[in-house]
């Protein structure tokens, strides 16, 4: 679990702004208004802390291949595009993917997706699939595709085979902005980042991750501005900046049995066999299920 800031009044006040000053960490000293904008506590786990944890699972090679393929796509956001002579990040990602025995067509697809197109040159469109796994587990699957009709049919089939149905589930989630900043030697502390954070409208929470990196939660419409402001202020590298579907805390379902874990693992694996799938979000939390079974679920989720 990550070390959370004290922006949420329902969470332990560790490494908080209150440790550095006498004022309440939930109140802006200028206007005495609440800094927190979300009424419920949010999950502290995230895909960045899980990427390291993934190495311990049985099929780590498969997960590494998935991460590398998507990493190649992400690196295309660099200023020099897909020209390998001027984009060393992309070149390194492709080399790493090849060493991990990722098929050439998957690498090419990742590169194309980084440019917002398919391997055929068709423009990609974003889509979301809302899924219900009876009786009360819900999820949202985000995808990018050059054919919404084809992708919808493919993903519906995967869901049906797993015993799920497609329906309306978005009201179980809240859209949130999430940015991850790489820590640096002599860089800012959590308290310093929080001091800066309270100056920005739309900032919701800040966490320090186990490896020292920082995770910021924002309102969706402020993610870009806040990411740029914090990066510029402290000279930190931005590892990720995106809008996610965060499950509402009061709708989360505990996973208590290996059968539940196996069913969800089968569904998630089936969905991720389709390169169009970008992210999977679900309203689940760990209950009494064992660690190995919970890993099967957590490694596939993006919040």
């Amino acid at each position: 679990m990550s070390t959370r800031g004290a922006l949420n009044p329902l969470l332990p006040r560790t490494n908080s702004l209150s440790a550095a000053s006498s004022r309440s960490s939930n109140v802006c000293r200028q206007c005495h208004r609440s800094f927190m904008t979300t009424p419920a506590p949010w999950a502290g786990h995230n895909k960045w802390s899980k990427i390291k944890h993934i190495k311990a699972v049985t099929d780590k090679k498969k997960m590494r291949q998935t991460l590398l393929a998507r990493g190649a796509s992400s690196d295309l956001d660099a200023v020099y595009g897909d020209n390998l002579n001027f984009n060393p990040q992309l070149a390194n990602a492709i080399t790493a993917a090849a060493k991990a025995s990722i098929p050439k067509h998957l690498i090419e697809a990742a590169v194309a997706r980084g440019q917002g197109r398919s391997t055929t040159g068709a423009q990609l469109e974003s889509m979301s699939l809302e899924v219900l796994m009876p009786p009360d587990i819900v999820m949202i699957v985000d995808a990018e595709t050059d054919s919404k009709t084809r992708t919808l049919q493919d993903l519906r089939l995967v869901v049906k085979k797993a015993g799920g149905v497609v329906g309306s589930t978005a009201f179980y989630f809240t859209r949130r902005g999430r940015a991850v900043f790489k820590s640096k030697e002599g860089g800012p502390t959590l308290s310093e980042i929080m001091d800066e954070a309270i100056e920005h409208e739309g900032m919701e929470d800040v966490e320090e991750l186990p490896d020292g990196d920082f995770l910021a939660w924002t309102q969706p419409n402020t993610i870009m501005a806040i990411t740029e402001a914090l990066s510029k202020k402290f000279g930190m590298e931005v590892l990720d900046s995106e809008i996610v579907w965060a499950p509402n805390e009061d709708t989360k379902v505990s996973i208590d049995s290996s059968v539940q874990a196996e069913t969800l693992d089968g569904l998630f694996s089936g969905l991720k066999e389709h390169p169009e799938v970008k992210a999977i979000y679900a309203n689940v939390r760990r209950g009494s299920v064992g660690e190995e079974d919970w890993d099967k679920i957590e490694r596939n989720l993006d919040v």
Side-chain angles (χ1 to χ4, degrees):
M1 292 292 292
S2 58
T3 302
R4 298 182 62 85
L7 305 186
N8 190 325
L10 301 181
L11 295 173
R13 301 176 66 168
T14 57
N15 288 332
S16 67
L17 184 58
S18 60
S21 66
S22 61
R23 68 179 184 276
S24 168
S25 61
N26 289 328
V27 180
C28 170
R29 59 185 170 186
Q30 284 89 358
C31 56
H32 298 284
R33 60 180 173 82
S34 175
F35 184 72
M36 269 301 294
T37 59
T38 50
W42 300 95
H45 66 278
N46 59 85
K47 70 178 181 181
W48 296 100
S49 60
K50 283 185 289 186
I51 285 175
K52 293 184 178 181
H53 186 59
I54 284 170
K55 294 179 181 179
V57 304
T58 304
D59 58 346
K60 70 175 183 178
K61 181 176 181 181
K62 178 179 178 182
M63 292 303 301
R64 182 167 179 264
Q65 290 177 346
T66 301
L67 291 170
L68 285 170
R70 292 181 180 177
S73 178
S74 299
D75 281 329
L76 276 171
D77 290 333
V79 69
Y80 294 115
D82 64 345
N83 188 327
L84 299 187
N85 293 324
F86 299 100
N87 190 341
Q89 293 90 351
L90 174 60
N92 290 337
I94 291 177
T95 299
K99 288 182 178 179
S101 301
I102 297 178
K104 183 179 179 181
H105 74 278
L106 290 182
I107 297 176
E108 292 175 347
V111 171
R113 287 181 179 281
Q115 295 179 300
R117 59 176 175 79
S118 69
T119 52
T120 63
Q123 192 69 27
L124 296 178
E125 296 181 276
S126 297
M127 61 169 286
S128 294
L129 184 72
E130 299 174 46
V131 177
L132 170 64
M133 291 292 290
D136 49 10
I137 295 176
V138 297
M139 60 192 70
I140 294 179
V141 181
D142 278 347
E144 279 189 344
T145 177
D146 59 354
S147 174
K148 287 186 176 181
T149 300
R150 185 198 67 239
T151 299
L152 182 59
Q153 290 176 342
D154 290 344
L155 299 185
R156 276 179 178 270
L157 182 59
V158 174
V159 171
K160 183 178 180 179
K161 287 182 177 179
V165 296
V166 174
S168 179
T169 62
F171 58 89
Y172 287 89
F173 299 83
T174 300
R175 291 293 261 170
R176 303 185 77 200
R178 177 178 64 188
V180 182
F181 303 90
K182 184 176 180 59
S183 62
K184 63 177 185 178
E185 186 175 353
T189 63
L190 178 61
S191 293
E192 290 172 333
I193 293 177
M194 292 170 67
D195 270 333
E196 175 66 20
I198 63 174
E199 306 297 333
H200 298 277
E201 188 72 28
M203 178 65 101
E204 294 182 349
D205 201 0
V206 181
E207 305 175 29
E208 184 173 4
L209 301 179
D211 59 2
D213 293 339
F214 298 100
L215 172 65
W217 292 103
T218 77
Q219 295 177 7
N221 62 334
T222 62
I223 180 62
M224 293 183 64
I226 290 177
T227 298
E228 181 178 359
L230 293 181
S231 176
K232 183 177 180 180
K233 172 72 175 181
F234 298 108
M236 295 186 296
E237 177 186 351
V238 179
L239 297 177
D240 184 53
S241 181
E242 60 185 335
I243 298 174
V244 301
W245 292 97
N248 298 329
E249 191 71 19
D250 59 355
T251 67
K252 285 189 176 181
V253 176
S254 296
I255 303 300
D256 297 314
S257 71
S258 296
V259 174
Q260 286 178 298
E262 289 290 346
T263 299
L264 290 176
D265 182 38
L267 172 57
F268 295 152
S269 297
L271 291 171
K272 290 200 169 183
E273 286 180 2
H274 295 271
E276 295 88 352
V277 172
K278 291 183 58 182
I280 300 175
Y281 310 96
N283 69 330
V284 295
R285 64 159 65 93
R286 183 179 177 182
S288 57
V289 72
E291 182 175 352
E292 183 176 347
D293 284 325
W294 176 243
D295 282 342
K296 296 175 182 178
I297 298 172
E298 190 179 35
R299 69 192 181 205
N300 288 297
L301 298 180
D302 289 87
V303 172

